[in-house]
Amino acid sequence: AGCSIVLCYPLGVLLALGRRSTLPLVRIVATMFIELIRGAPLFVLLLFANVALGFFVPENLVPSTSSRAIVVFTLFTAAYMAEIVRGGLQSVPRGQEEAAKAVGLSPVRQTFLIILPQALRNVIPAQLGQLISLFKDTTLAGAAMGLFEMATVAQVITKQDEFNGQGLIGETLAITALLFWVGSYTMSRESQRLEKKLGVGTR
């Protein structure tokens, strides 16, 4: 989840910019990627990466299971992040771009110094919501790819000799849910702190 969060953010921003690009090829490729990935269930993409990839790539070139999971989570979340960022770009008043042109900034400087910072600031809650969703969706990697993730650990613990037959699955799943809640709540509070620091919702 950590690796995917770090990787999906810049990729999502680039995809959003690509979808709004005036270059037809860049816009078409970005749009096709976003729509294709967003139209496929995450569980199916994980199954494809785990099972079907071996049919198209030589066995000695197939990456590890964890690497494949990171790639799938990164691409999937980047597609959703791109739409969130695109909404943020559309929320920036056109006058900001016109003012940037008036002072002689190049299109690249207009985007990265004026437009994009305001757009990202406007959609902080939606971005954090998507990243929290990614954090929780990592449990799908255990079911689809056999990765030893947190929910799998909760089940394996009860099968050890010390705990076998004691019916502690409820307790272990409750602790797992608590850990996910702590992680999600921490990310949410940090988001609120950042929003307050940046003055989101105020002029």
Side-chain angles (χ1 to χ4, degrees):
C3 291
S4 297
I5 287 173
V6 171
L7 296 173
C8 77
Y9 196 83
L11 180 58
V13 171
L14 292 176
L15 286 170
L17 294 175
R19 187 159 189 174
R20 287 171 53 91
S21 174
T22 56
L23 300 174
L25 180 60
V26 175
R27 185 173 65 252
I28 290 172
V29 171
T31 301
M32 288 181 61
F33 175 86
I34 292 171
E35 296 301 330
L36 178 65
I37 296 297
R38 289 177 70 236
L42 177 56
F43 190 77
V44 172
L45 294 176
L46 290 168
L47 283 175
F48 180 83
N50 187 46
V51 179
L53 189 62
F55 293 104
F56 302 100
V57 180
E59 186 175 349
N60 59 329
L61 297 179
V62 176
S64 65
T65 304
S66 56
S67 298
R68 280 177 275 167
I70 289 172
V71 170
V72 171
F73 282 122
T74 298
L75 297 179
F76 185 82
T77 308
Y80 279 88
M81 190 65 70
E83 289 298 274
I84 293 172
V85 174
R86 186 168 69 94
L89 291 170
Q90 292 175 343
S91 72
V92 178
R94 187 169 180 79
Q96 296 291 310
E97 183 179 353
E98 294 172 351
K101 290 179 180 178
V103 297
L105 293 179
S106 66
V108 174
R109 291 172 68 86
Q110 291 173 32
T111 299
F112 287 96
L113 296 181
I114 305 297
I115 306 300
L116 192 57
Q118 295 182 70
L120 296 179
R121 172 179 173 270
N122 291 344
V123 291
I124 288 176
Q127 294 175 73
L128 248 294
Q130 187 60 46
L131 296 181
I132 289 174
S133 178
L134 164 63
F135 173 61
K136 294 185 292 185
D137 285 343
T138 53
T139 55
L140 292 175
M145 309 182 77
L147 279 175
F148 197 60
E149 46 73 44
M150 200 180 301
T152 308
V153 172
Q155 299 175 25
V156 171
I157 286 175
T158 60
K159 297 179 182 178
Q160 296 181 81
D161 293 337
E162 295 86 346
F163 305 105
N164 193 24
Q166 296 185 27
L168 298 176
I169 187 64
E171 287 82 347
T172 57
L173 290 178
I175 292 296
T176 301
L178 177 63
L179 292 174
F180 272 110
W181 180 82
V182 169
S184 300
Y185 182 75
T186 301
M187 294 170 68
S188 176
R189 294 296 297 177
E190 286 301 308
S191 169
Q192 293 176 17
R193 186 181 65 81
L194 182 60
E195 290 174 43
K196 185 176 180 180
K197 181 178 180 180
L198 296 178
V200 176
T202 60
R203 295 182 62 85

